[in-house]
């Protein structure tokens, strides 16, 4: 039987100063009820993003204090399930997004059947991919608003963070102070308008402490691949940092020289976009995907 | 029985001034024998990229004159097969590539079994994805060296251009003057070191003229998705242009307003990288991926 956290227990920034709302042992599971990224302020297509309270966006349910998690450890977060409400919101954002110069201000409500199919309009439907946009731990230094990504995680908008994935975070403060929110029924790589199908939901995750490895930024594992994730206002810099992080893992775990790791990454791995919706006040986020190759060791954990 | 073009019949730039080496009717197939991107100047790991003749890189076999292809038409290129030699070359490139600051100058020879498996070293092997790096038609204006991408195609390094894919090009000059080369046994999204597994090969393609649609840049179709492709020295600009091209197709064919197309792309489509290997003297290339959704019309052709 796992723990349950109501979405009333949420924060708007990742901070070492946040008081934990739950204390757990390593290896325990928690179900996080979540608001959508607008704190559910948009309820119909006449609620425009220009008329809501933007100081309340991107709440993360938590933080959870994980006993024995200490700076230098890794917090391993296995996503057991992501369930979403029966409708979500897509919206343009003011002065933000790749094609905003072509668009009107618009809120679109999209019905979502059973966490499985989105009905964009009467003709267009598609399978969804419920995922977590905001997920992270407290940074050691300055607090970071939940709408921003960083080395601690936060708004990394990585659509491989879905049921079955595992996310690894560097622990920066005692107890890690983990939280999540901003679930999307579906989001494309790049999130070009600045939103996915924003939706309230419930996420169940198992949190464990790993020792004996260190990482400096989030790493995501799926059945097929490993991903390093990095952010910067300059997209090319974000790409470079994600590549450097993957190179470091391959040198350490697959016994390659830096040059050999670089060549392997170029021919067998992929640069992917998480968030590239410039113009935007928020950092861009890139990830590097390295497939799990036959007979090779894991890049993190046992 | 299709036509056959030897790799001796190749060009180093896409140009309206190139004399055709083959004339075909619309709907005919051609097998293109191709050099690797180094014109096969690298034969062993002691042949470094710093010692070859760089004026001879990226040859494209062709050009082929397709009768009745006229400016404003589309040239449809169905890739019937891509076969590769039993070994390929991965190489660092001088002052180029995302992790070049961490790397030594190195040539690596990689055995490739039966166009299927690459043996990176005695421990690391993976399935390959034989694909075409340089593919295009003559531009109307200035010639473009085959190492560069453009609205005419060229070095667009898009790893979805493989067996079974279809590539659509705007016809800019009488006969289109189509050519291809620079086959890779495998290449990751972004091609971060500037090379894939560079390899000589043979490509069979069927070339047809389409009328009644116009496009301004290459479009790629696979079984699962449509892709628009765009290049620029600024990666964010390349992304924006690829998004604008996809938006235009969705407005025209899926009967969406520009705003609705934008929102749909953000939640159901993906920004992907073709080539993002800065620092580099070559333009970056991005693509936008829109999956083929149920019961919706094709974006090009019948």
């Amino acid at each position: 039987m796992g723990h349950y956290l109501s979405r009333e227990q949420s924060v708007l920034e990742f901070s070492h100063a946040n008081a934990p709302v739950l204390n757990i042992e390593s290896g325990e599971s928690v179900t996080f009820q979540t608001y959508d990224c607008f704190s559910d302020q948009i309820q119909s297509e006449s609620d425009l993003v220009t008329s809501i309270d933007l100081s309340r966006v991107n709440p993360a349910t938590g933080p959870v204090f994980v006993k024995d998690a200490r700076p230098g450890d890794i917090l391993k977060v296995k996503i057991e399930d992501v369930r979403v409400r029966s409708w979500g919101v897509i919206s343009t954002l003011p002065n933000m997004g790749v094609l905003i110069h072509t668009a009107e201000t618009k809120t679109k409500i999209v019905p979502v059947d059973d966490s499985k199919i989105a009905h964009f309009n009467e003709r267009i439907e598609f399978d969804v991919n419920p995922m977590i946009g905001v997920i992270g731990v407290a940074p050691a230094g300055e607090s970071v608003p939940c709408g921003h990504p960083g080395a601690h995680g936060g708004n990394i908008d990585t659509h491989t963070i879905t049921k079955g994935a595992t996310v690894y975070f560097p622990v920066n403060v005692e107890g890690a102070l983990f939280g999540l929110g901003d679930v999307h029924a579906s989001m494309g790589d790049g999130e070009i308008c600045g939103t996915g199908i924003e939706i309230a939901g419930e996420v169940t995750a198992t949190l464990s402490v790993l020792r004996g490895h260190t990482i400096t930024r989030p790493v995501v594992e799926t059945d097929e691949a490993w991903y390093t994730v990095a952010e910067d206002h300059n997209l090319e810099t974000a790409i470079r940092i994600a590549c450097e992080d993957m190179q470091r893992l391959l040198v350490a775990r697959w016994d390659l020289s830096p040059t050999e790791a670089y060549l392997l990454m170029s021919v067998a791995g992929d640069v992917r976009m998480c968030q590239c919706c410039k113009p935007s006040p928020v950092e861009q986020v890139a990830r590097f995907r390295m497939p799990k190759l036959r007979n090779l060791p894991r890049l993190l954990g046992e």
Side-chain angles (χ1 to χ4, degrees), chain A:
Chain A
M1 187 60 192
H3 304 274
Y4 187 86
L5 272 181
S6 154
R7 63 192 189 175
E8 308 305 323
Q9 297 171 291
S10 62
V11 293
L12 291 168
E13 55 183 29
F14 287 92
S15 170
H16 63 83
N18 285 336
V21 294
L22 177 69
N23 283 260
I24 67 168
E25 306 281 343
S26 174
E28 291 187 335
S29 297
V30 181
T31 295
F32 299 79
Q33 186 190 38
T34 59
Y35 283 112
D36 74 18
C37 75
F38 303 114
S39 289
D40 289 36
Q41 294 178 84
I42 294 180
Q43 294 285 322
S44 79
E45 295 194 346
S46 59
D47 295 334
L48 295 181
V49 70
T50 44
S51 61
I52 67 171
D53 177 359
L54 290 174
S55 73
R56 291 168 54 203
V57 300
N58 285 309
T61 304
V64 175
F65 185 100
V66 184
K67 285 174 204 163
D68 296 327
R70 298 187 204 102
D73 294 342
I74 287 175
L75 184 69
K76 175 185 175 184
V77 180
K78 175 76 190 289
I79 310 301
E80 309 288 356
D81 201 9
V82 183
R83 297 170 298 280
V84 298
R85 189 175 53 188
S86 62
W87 59 276
V89 177
I90 318 174
S91 176
T92 56
L93 297 179
N95 305 314
M96 182 169 163
V98 179
L99 299 178
I100 190 64
H101 58 291
T102 70
E104 299 168 346
T105 301
K106 185 174 177 80
T107 293
K108 189 170 180 74
I109 301 286
V110 177
V112 178
D113 283 354
D114 192 25
S115 299
K116 293 203 174 82
I117 297 177
H119 298 273
F120 186 81
N121 64 23
E122 69 285 357
R123 293 176 297 118
I124 300 182
E125 62 170 39
F126 52 89
D127 298 339
V128 300
N129 174 43
M131 55 148 284
I132 304 162
V134 169
I135 183 167
V137 294
E142 274 189 57
S143 304
V144 181
C146 292
H148 286 262
H152 69 292
N155 191 13
I156 53 177
D157 272 338
T158 299
H159 77 177
T160 57
I161 302 181
T162 185
K163 180 178 177 173
T166 301
V167 195
Y168 301 85
F169 297 96
V171 175
N172 306 303
V173 303
E174 289 282 324
L177 297 180
F178 173 82
L180 63 79
D182 186 27
V183 167
H184 303 139
S186 182
M187 190 199 94
D189 271 349
E191 199 190 33
I192 64 165
C193 86
T195 74
I197 300 179
E198 307 295 330
I199 197 160
E202 265 188 5
V203 175
T204 302
T206 303
L207 312 185
S208 315
V209 177
L210 293 189
R211 299 235 160 80
H213 309 276
T214 55
I215 52 176
T216 52
R217 294 174 172 276
V219 174
V220 182
E221 178 187 5
T222 65
D223 285 348
E224 296 83 27
W226 294 92
Y227 299 87
T228 49
V229 179
E231 90 296 339
D232 196 88
H233 279 290
N234 182 305
L235 185 54
E236 286 169 13
T237 303
I239 291 169
R240 177 177 54 72
I241 296 170
C243 288
E244 287 169 346
D245 279 2
M246 182 58 78
Q247 183 187 37
R248 209 171 291 121
L249 286 172
L250 297 184
V251 166
R253 303 286 288 189
W254 288 2
D255 194 24
L256 293 166
S257 72
T259 302
E260 294 257 331
Y262 177 38
L263 298 181
L264 179 63
M265 289 166 65
S266 186
V267 302
D270 297 296
V271 174
R272 290 277 166 89
M273 297 294 102
C274 300
Q275 206 182 105
C276 58
C277 52
K278 287 286 180 188
S280 166
V282 177
E283 296 84 353
Q284 313 291 273
V285 184
R287 64 184 186 274
F288 191 88
R289 174 184 190 273
M290 193 69 212
K292 291 181 171 176
L293 301 182
R294 291 185 277 275
N295 305 319
L296 289 173
R298 298 174 52 75
L299 296 185
L300 281 177
E302 303 310 321

